[in-house]
Amino acid sequence: MRVELTVNGEPQVADDVWEGESLLYVLRERLGLPGAKNACEQGECGSCTVYLDGTVVCACLVAAGQAEGAEVVTVEGLADGDALDPVQRAFLDAGAVQCGFCTPGLVVAVHDLLARTPDPAEADVREALAGNLCRCTGYEHILAAVRLAAERGGEGRS
Amino acid sequence: MRFLRPHTWAEALGAKAEFPDALPLMGGTDVMVDVNFGRARPNALLDLTAIPELRTWAPDGDALRVGAGVTYARLVSELADRLPALAAASRTVGSPQIRNRGTAGGNLGSASPAGDAHPPLLAGGAEVELESVRGARRVAVEEFFAGPKRSVLEPDELIAGFRARPATGPQYFAKVGTRNAMVIAVCSFALALRPGEGVGTGIGSAGPTPLRAYAAEEFLAGELADRWEKRDALPGPVIGEFAELVAGAARPIDDVRGTADYRAHVLRVLARRTLTWAWADHCEGGAGCA
């Protein structure tokens, strides 16, 4: 089947989509956007976190057909050209990246958190990121990145 | 496989009548896991997310009618005052990403004994609205579950939503698992106090279906009958007996998440805690607890 959707502001068409296929597969394998990662395929790890019509979801649990007509924003859509989103910049500056596999999902989750709660309490941060696993267990630096992004405020955040 | 995506409820009922083996799909947090892992290969997926009426809730008489497509995130943000135990249970579901997609309607459809929405719906005396092209019917939640992951839903029926009376007193939900997020309940319990009226309970993950603890409800309602107005402290033995009766109503098994003995223990603890919290709230709502 054909699925038409908007991804990072651009209209996209995916053809020959299997009816049981996930939005994640469409993004990665059909639209060439490998930012959202494929890991657990059961909504446990958060590495495929994307925005679907403005809310963060696990793209592995969205059937491709459910995204018909939807607005999707992936981690590739956060930077403005070469100018990183402040959340991405904070992850770099805080050294919140080890192997990097969980990073795209975390960046999108943190982007969503700070858009809704610009100055989150520690408990808010932990709750917001409860569904994003880092197998390197680099959580302390990730939390430091969130605090850094929050301290720098929403300047330039898309 | 077909992908059916009706845009109205009438179209959805027509599609389910035409393709009774179609697997209804809402937030996908259960169904897509089974599809991704090859455990589900239905002839058709029936996507219900494009039907606006499923996403609404509204008062209807003295009850609230909540569409099957209202997400856990919205149950928390919009209905915590009227359905506090369900909102508390919703807060414990998965992660923000899961709560943005998952729904209590989908939880009912999956009919897992461990579904977090079920104990509060049982305690709150909710009814499930089922509909097909043949007509609509309402089923009390305790009559809805037929076994592990089985319900009384007919092949041509869909879950339209559920109805529950807004809370008239304190309600609590408590759940035990290995961490605070992303966890299937080892055991869970919900309690609803209806001052001057009675008590509702719901047990999760400790039997082939979610269960009500009828004897515990009856016992506590009797003990509270002349205490609703007095709002005095509940004697320890009353709380203890309630906890025993709750544990006695469960039919737990040993499995990878916990043993039957542990689940019975957990239920005693959760029953005692939720009753203690709820009764303290009730006392604070009046002249103050002795």
Side-chain angles (χ1 to χ4, degrees):
Chain A
M1 63 178 183
R2 167 174 284 198
V3 175
E4 297 184 47
L5 69 172
T6 302
V7 184
N8 300 330
E10 299 285 327
Q12 298 279 3
V13 179
D15 278 316
D16 303 320
V17 174
W18 174 56
E19 287 73 11
E21 200 164 299
S22 69
L23 170 63
L24 178 63
Y25 190 93
V26 169
L27 292 171
R28 289 178 56 83
E29 308 297 336
R30 301 194 186 280
L31 302 179
L33 292 166
K37 295 291 177 261
N38 182 20
C40 75
E41 297 191 303
Q42 53 183 311
E44 294 276 346
C45 77
S47 62
C48 66
T49 302
V50 301
Y51 283 102
L52 176 70
D53 289 330
T55 57
V56 288
V57 303
C58 292
C60 72
L61 298 184
V62 178
Q66 293 183 298
E68 171 71 32
E71 301 257 349
V72 174
V73 175
T74 70
V75 70
E76 288 97 337
L78 297 185
D80 183 9
D82 287 338
L84 293 182
D85 181 86
V87 175
Q88 293 171 308
R89 173 52 59 194
F91 267 66
L92 275 178
D93 293 346
V97 176
Q98 290 190 48
C99 86
F101 198 87
C102 69
T103 310
L106 275 159
V107 165
V108 176
V110 173
H111 189 274
D112 173 60
L113 166 68
L114 295 181
R116 287 180 294 108
T117 313
D119 186 20
E122 181 81 6
D124 297 331
V125 178
R126 288 174 179 266
E127 177 58 35
L129 303 185
N132 290 79
L133 301 183
C134 167
R135 292 301 303 271
C136 308
T137 69
Y139 292 110
E140 288 303 325
H141 282 32
I142 291 166
L143 295 174
V146 179
R147 285 190 288 271
L148 184 59
E151 279 163 23
R152 289 172 175 172
E155 302 155 37
R157 206 154 55 220
S158 56
Chain B
M1 195 185 293
R2 289 169 188 270
F3 193 87
L4 306 167
R5 195 171 202 234
H7 284 76
T8 67
W9 182 236
E11 283 172 23
L13 295 176
K16 193 70 171 112
E18 189 178 354
F19 303 101
D21 57 358
L23 181 57
L25 172 65
M26 184 61 78
T29 56
D30 280 336
V31 169
M32 284 304 288
V33 176
D34 284 343
V35 172
N36 288 344
F37 282 79
R39 293 193 293 254
R41 282 291 178 270
N43 289 325
L45 285 172
L46 177 55
D47 173 29
L48 301 172
T49 57
I51 300 168
E53 48 263 57
L54 291 182
R55 301 199 163 275
T56 63
W57 61 265
D60 183 8
D62 61 356
L64 277 175
R65 199 226 160 241
V66 182
V70 175
T71 61
Y72 292 114
R74 289 182 56 208
L75 291 173
V76 172
S77 64
E78 299 171 25
L79 285 167
D81 53 345
R82 277 158 283 199
L83 302 174
L86 182 60
S90 300
R91 283 188 199 97
T92 76
V93 173
S95 63
Q97 292 93 322
I98 301 300
R99 294 193 289 276
N100 282 342
R101 291 293 284 174
T103 63
N107 215 208
L108 287 165
S110 294
S112 163
D116 289 318
H118 305 151
L121 290 175
L122 284 166
E127 293 180 310
V128 189
E129 290 187 344
L130 307 179
E131 198 168 342
S132 72
V133 290
R134 294 176 291 117
R137 61 180 177 135
R138 290 185 200 166
V139 179
V141 173
E142 59 266 36
E143 306 293 328
F144 176 75
F145 303 106
K149 302 194 177 181
R150 294 202 314 275
S151 72
V152 299
L153 200 64
E154 295 290 341
D156 64 344
E157 281 183 319
L158 291 171
I159 298 169
F162 63 88
R163 301 167 62 87
R165 282 173 55 199
T168 57
Q171 296 187 353
Y172 278 94
F173 171 82
K175 168 177 166 182
V176 165
T178 46
R179 58 177 283 224
N180 266 349
M182 302 304 310
V183 76
I184 300 173
V186 173
C187 214
S188 62
F189 182 69
L191 173 67
L193 298 188
R194 291 185 277 275
E197 218 181 313
V199 171
T201 61
I203 294 171
S205 225
T209 66
L211 298 164
R212 269 176 67 183
Y214 293 102
E217 291 178 11
E218 201 175 320
F219 165 76
L220 188 58
E223 289 293 329
L224 297 184
D226 63 351
R227 287 192 168 94
W228 293 117
E229 286 299 319
K230 286 198 288 185
R231 298 174 194 263
D232 56 349
L234 275 184
V238 170
I239 297 172
E241 178 64 12
F242 175 70
E244 282 304 321
L245 289 169
V246 167
R251 286 181 282 148
I253 57 169
D254 296 339
D255 70 11
V256 291
R257 297 201 302 279
T259 63
D261 282 352
Y262 178 64
R263 288 186 157 103
H265 171 70
V266 163
L267 279 176
R268 281 185 206 98
V269 173
L270 297 186
R272 192 186 71 227
R273 280 185 192 164
T274 52
L275 176 55
T276 305
W277 294 334
W279 190 249
D281 286 359
H282 176 71
C283 293
E284 276 172 25
C289 205

